[in-house]
Structure formats: structure tokens, C-alpha cells
Amino acid sequence: MTVTIAPALAPEDLARLTAVTTLIRANDTASVLAAAMPSLDEAERAALAAHTRFTHAAVLVFPRTLDGLGAELARRGIQVGQTIPSVVVRDRLSGRYGLPVEELTVGILRAAVTDRLGNPCELEIFAMATPPALVHVAEDERRHGRENHFALAVPRADAIVLCGLREIVAGRMRPDGGGYNGHEDNTILYFRDAQHPQPAFRRLELISAGKFPQLLDLHRRESAAGTHVLRLMTGAWATQAIAAAAELCLPDHLVTMSDLPSLAAATGTDGDSLGRLLRYLATLGLVRASEGGHALTELGSLLRSDVDGSLRPLALMYGGPFYRSFAELTAAVRTGEESYAKVFGEHHFAHMAADPELAELFHASMAASNAVFTDLARMIDFGRAKTVVDIAGGNGALLSRVLAANPPLHGVLLERPHALAVAETTLAPVADRCTLVAGDFTESVPSTGDVYLLSRVLHDWDDAQCRSILATIADAMPDHAELLVIERLLPDVEGGESLAVAWDVHMLCNVGGRERTESHYRALLAEAGFELTATVGLPLDTYVLRARKPLIPAAR
């Protein structure tokens, strides 16, 4: 006599099936997008909703056998179709628990359900046959729910659409593996947000008909958390590789030659070692392989020494003294004191002022953000002004651009004597309209300006010193004058993206100052007697804060 072993779904699995069915009936495409990724802006949510459809929610259950499972589910009111093999989930379980693939039997069963708007949807049931030897897998999976998910289908997918959708989702949820199911001709991309407050929305499946091997390979690689962390930890290597290329003037040589022997001879390097450096620079997008060697990319061209706005000085600074001081970042975090002084024995301004070559490199690196200066001269109307005062304007790069764009304007550069010596060269083309004033802006500033520029100065100082600097400027400024503060701004919300977030740590480590939010600067300005009238965006996550002294109503 043949004995049939019933699938025997455990009570906890039946409860989970009920919960997932309830989830489907309570949601639709718009609501699952809002619930799973609340940080999506309106345009991103609309793009996802236009290209995807809430198609199912899934749960992994653990019957003793798959034989007769459909009939048991039907007795419990869940009408499913034919069981088909699950390749992706089987392979994930195999890798997670170190089990041979051939020892696992995983199937997919689907039951028709409607969402809250009455649209057709599905309850997707992954079932793993669970003999006694695999009970530990069932217990662990029920506890963590790693394979439970909700799914968005991409009805009309191509590689470009799927890539764009993936990028939007990956900005909110970490890639979590995927695969290609040849039984259904589907490419599957999983994403996870392990900290989501609602467990039902912690995992998303983006499913598309067709095979997209390159995109799937990228997604799998980015799913490996250890790989991502390693990539982050080797950021210091990228800094040094870029600095080495700059020091060797490699970008300059790549303009006229591409073969390795010629490049090695021109840079005075070992050919094999230079080839390894070039290969790494290619992964950074700075060079690309070309016929017979390597060629410079558009990004790499920014490191040439002969281009306007060259970032070469920054590469040398970040790979030189700032790189050394960052090695003591832990000390800065523990003490709240800059690590630059710990490494070099004095604050970086004093250290660089004592070394003319280093001071010149620093001012050149500050001037490397010329895109900011170009846009400032274009976006701010200086037409009503006669005199613009650049406070602590370094080598005069900003003032030079403002004067070049406004021929009637007269300029005043206030700086320390060693900086003025460098600025004379920068300001030579407008020397007839420019006055160089030696002084300390923390003590006094000229009182003859209509517009005052304070570019990337306040972030060097703590709040108390900022208040003092702004008060000194307010005392000297005529009542009609305008103050333009140029700084990077920290995002007002935690987790927002901006270069200022990284630069804030740089300021802690190397300067002793800090980056700030717009509201923080607004408060500092107000305490010094200024009113923030506008904030204008510039390139490189920089902004100009326009401020004036409030007008005092005339007495009647």
C-alpha cells in the first residue's frame, strides 16, 4: 500500500499566507510605492508608477513535500495554478545555507487576488520541500523573512527603461541579488531596506520579461555588501592614484602620446608599474583603453595643468598634506581639534603661509573651482555697484572674473601680504581697476564697497568667530551695500546628498571649521545685523547667500 505524506503547512505559514493576502487587497501601485519608498519625490514616484505595476506579493512557506500542496491550499480557499520550479530562490537558499542545489526543491504557486482598486494581482507562494534535515532552514527563514517581498512588474521593458528604474530604486533600497528564470523568461532584481519600519515593505522584486545579462551582472555585484564596503575603504587608494597621475603630469602627456613605452619615458617611470596605474585610472573613468595604449577622458582632462579651472592643484593638495592629516581623523573626532595641527605642528593657514611653495599650491587649489566664479559673475547683477570688495579673496581669481564680466566696476582685494603677491599676477589684466589692500579681515575691512564678497571664508571658523567676522563687516559696510557669502550648504535633512557633507569632515580634520545649513547661516547673519534676502545655487553644490542690513524706516 502506498502512503501519501500530506504537505502539512504549519500554522505559522498559514498565518503568513493570510497576512500577505491582506496586504495585496489593501494596496495598489501608488500606495506600495509611497509606503516602501517615502523619500521618492513626486517626479520619481510618477516615473515608477508610469513604468511599473504592483503585480504580486510573495511569501516562502515550508511544507514537508510539494506533492499535494495545491490541493491543500484549495481546501483552505487558496486556488493556485500549476507548480513551476523556482530557480532564483532555490539558488539564494543554496548559497545562504551552504546546501547543494540538488538537495533543494523549491516551487512557485500563484493564486489570483485583486488589489484595493480591483486590479488583477497575485499571491505568489514559494514553497520549499522541508524534510527533517532542513527544518533549521525553515525556522531561520520564518524568523527573518528574507524571501518575502512585494513585486513591481515592468510590462514594457527594455535595457534603458529597466536601467533607469533600477537606479531610482537603488537610491532608496540596497540591491539584494537577483537572477534570470529561464522557465518564465524573466529577469528579476531584488532590493532590500532592512531598516524599513514595516516588514512587509522591506524587500522589493522588480521583474521584467526578457534577459538582461549585463544589467543583472551589475546588480549582483552591487548586491555584495562586502564588495561595496571594500570599494569605499579603497577610496584612499583612488586619491593617491589621482595624485600620482597629477604629480607625473600624466594627463598632460596623454594629450600627445598613448603608447606605454612613450608614456613611461616621458614620465620617468617603470613601464609595467605605469601600466598598472593606468588600468586603475581607467576604472575611475579618468583614462580609457585606446588602440595601442590609453587616452584621456573628459574627466581626466580636468587634471591637465594647461586647462582653465584645472583640478591638478586640488589633486596634489588632497594627495599631499591633506592626505597626511586625514590619517589622524580619529584624533580630531575624539578631541574636536583639527588633526592638521597635530600632524604638522601648527594650523594649516600658518603652516602654509610659512612655505611659499605650499601657499601657492593652496591658493591654486582654492581657485580650481572656477566654475563657481564664472556662474557668480553671470547670475548676480553688479550693474548698480561701483566698487566690489573681495574679503580674503586669496589669489584674486573670483575678483578677476567679476571685474572681467563688469567693465565699469572697480575692485578691492583684502588679503595678507603673501597672498597679494600671488594675486598681482592673477589680477594683472584688470590692474587698472583694482586696488590691493594688505590687512586682516578679522580686524577691519574697507568701508568703500557697494558689494562685499566673502567666498569660502566662514566655513573656516567656529560660530563665535563667524559672528565676530560678520559684525566687523556690518560695522564697515555702507547701509546700501550687499554682502554675498559663498559657501557649500549642508542638507537641511539628515541623509541628503551634497558635497558639503564630506567637506564638513574635511573642515573638522584640516581646518577646524565646519560646513553649515542655510538656516544656520541665516541665524549667524541675523545675529550680526544682516537679513538673508536670497539663496542662489551655483555649481559644485555651492551657493551664494545674499544679505543686507535691514532698512530702518525714516522717522516721521
Side-chain angles (χ1 to χ4, degrees):
M1 181 176 64
T2 302
V3 178
T4 302
I5 301 175
L9 280 169
E12 55 263 49
D13 285 343
L14 292 171
R16 292 159 73 235
L17 285 169
T18 300
V20 174
T21 304
T22 302
L23 171 75
I24 296 171
R25 290 173 175 160
N27 284 282
D28 57 28
T29 302
S31 67
V32 296
L33 287 173
M37 293 173 280
S39 63
L40 286 171
D41 61 37
E42 186 175 344
E44 290 170 324
R45 187 176 292 121
L48 277 172
H51 290 284
T52 65
R53 181 176 65 84
F54 176 40
T55 184
H56 68 264
V59 62
L60 175 59
V61 298
F62 303 92
R64 287 198 296 262
T65 174
L66 302 193
D67 296 334
L69 178 58
E72 177 171 345
L73 289 168
R75 288 195 297 271
R76 299 182 182 280
I78 303 173
Q79 301 296 328
V80 296
Q82 182 181 1
T83 303
I84 61 174
S86 170
V87 175
V88 176
V89 172
R90 180 202 62 187
D91 290 349
R92 286 169 59 86
L93 292 170
S94 170
R96 186 175 301 140
Y97 296 98
L99 298 169
V101 169
E102 58 270 16
E103 292 184 9
L104 296 175
T105 301
V106 183
I108 306 174
L109 303 96
R110 295 189 175 95
V113 187
T114 56
D115 69 11
R116 71 173 180 176
L117 299 180
N119 297 316
C121 207
E122 287 183 330
L123 166 62
E124 186 172 77
I125 305 169
F126 293 100
M128 186 189 90
T130 312
L134 295 180
V135 167
H136 68 287
V137 174
E139 292 174 347
D140 191 62
E141 286 298 317
R142 288 189 186 113
R143 183 164 55 252
H144 296 289
R146 297 187 185 94
E147 300 304 326
N148 300 351
H149 63 264
F150 69 97
L152 297 173
V154 186
R156 295 174 298 278
D158 56 40
I160 294 176
V161 168
L162 192 56
C163 181
L165 295 175
R166 179 192 171 279
E167 284 298 309
I168 292 176
V169 177
R172 276 80 187 171
M173 305 178 77
R174 189 178 68 79
D176 190 39
Y180 172 72
N181 189 336
H183 296 283
E184 298 182 304
D185 187 30
N186 284 335
T187 293
I188 298 165
L189 306 177
Y190 287 117
F191 302 83
R192 180 180 292 279
D193 177 2
Q195 281 73 49
H196 197 288
Q198 300 181 60
F201 294 110
R202 286 179 182 169
R203 192 156 181 264
L204 162 65
E205 175 188 34
L206 196 63
I207 183 170
S208 174
K211 193 173 186 178
F212 302 92
Q214 290 181 320
L215 185 61
L216 184 56
D217 180 62
L218 170 66
H219 191 77
R220 282 170 169 163
R221 283 189 282 111
E222 292 191 356
S223 297
T227 300
H228 181 66
V229 173
L230 281 175
R231 188 176 292 118
L232 293 175
M233 289 193 295
T234 59
W237 303 353
T239 301
Q240 283 301 308
I242 295 169
E247 189 172 348
L248 295 169
C249 295
L250 185 58
D252 292 351
H253 293 301
L254 281 165
V255 175
T256 57
M257 60 188 74
S258 62
D259 63 289
L260 189 57
S262 297
L263 288 168
T267 57
T269 57
D270 173 73
D272 177 69
S273 300
L274 181 62
R276 293 160 71 176
L277 174 62
L278 284 163
R279 183 169 57 201
Y280 184 34
L281 294 172
T283 70
L284 302 177
L286 300 174
V287 301
R288 59 178 172 81
S290 66
E291 188 175 352
H294 288 82
L296 205 58
T297 64
E298 184 177 1
L299 286 179
S301 295
L302 294 173
L303 296 171
R304 289 172 52 184
S305 63
D306 59 346
V307 297
D308 186 32
S310 170
L311 298 182
R312 182 175 184 269
L314 276 174
L316 296 174
M317 281 295 301
Y318 292 165
F322 287 161
Y323 187 88
R324 290 177 59 189
S325 63
F326 251 103
E328 295 293 338
L329 175 60
T330 303
V333 173
R334 282 178 172 155
T335 66
E337 300 174 359
E338 59 165 299
S339 54
Y340 192 100
K342 175 179 174 64
V343 173
F344 294 101
E346 56 186 341
H347 187 278
H348 96 272
F349 286 136
H351 179 250
M352 292 181 185
D355 184 339
E357 186 176 339
L358 186 57
E360 184 177 353
L361 176 62
F362 173 71
H363 287 301
S365 69
M366 288 291 290
S369 305
N370 278 347
V372 174
F373 301 159
T374 301
D375 275 34
L376 176 72
R378 178 177 58 83
M379 296 175 69
I380 303 298
D381 182 11
F382 292 89
R384 297 182 180 179
K386 295 181 180 179
T387 301
V388 57
V389 177
D390 191 358
I391 301 170
N395 69 353
L398 171 57
L399 184 59
S400 173
R401 287 181 176 266
V402 171
L403 294 180
N406 298 273
L409 201 60
H410 181 82
V412 176
L413 177 65
L414 174 68
E415 255 296 2
R416 299 288 182 90
H418 69 272
L420 293 179
V422 179
E424 285 184 359
T425 302
T426 306
L427 293 166
V430 290
D432 59 326
R433 293 188 288 122
C434 190
T435 303
L436 305 183
V437 177
D440 182 349
F441 68 92
T442 64
E443 298 177 356
S444 65
V445 299
S447 59
T448 56
D450 303 300
V451 176
Y452 287 75
L453 304 176
L454 194 63
S455 176
R456 296 175 296 176
V457 172
L458 294 181
H459 73 162
D460 291 336
W461 305 92
D462 61 26
D463 283 3
Q465 190 63 51
C466 284
R467 294 187 193 96
S468 176
I469 292 167
L470 290 170
T472 298
I473 296 171
D475 288 343
M477 273 178 56
D479 290 340
H480 72 274
E482 182 177 27
L483 173 64
L484 304 182
V485 177
I486 302 167
E487 295 287 357
R488 287 193 172 95
L489 296 180
L490 287 171
D492 283 316
V493 294
E494 193 73 21
E497 292 188 10
S498 170
L499 289 173
V501 176
W503 258 256
D504 190 37
V505 179
H506 164 67
M507 300 307 294
L508 165 68
C509 187
N510 288 301
V511 184
R514 67 186 311 132
E515 305 293 351
R516 298 174 172 89
T517 62
E518 178 184 358
S519 57
H520 196 158
Y521 278 118
R522 184 189 299 275
L524 291 174
L525 287 163
E527 291 176 42
F530 287 102
E531 177 184 2
L532 180 61
T533 60
T535 301
V536 182
L538 298 173
L540 303 178
D541 289 343
T542 303
Y543 294 82
V544 54
L545 306 171
R546 306 185 69 164
R548 291 182 178 276
K549 292 189 282 188
L551 295 176
I552 301 175
R556 293 185 178 182

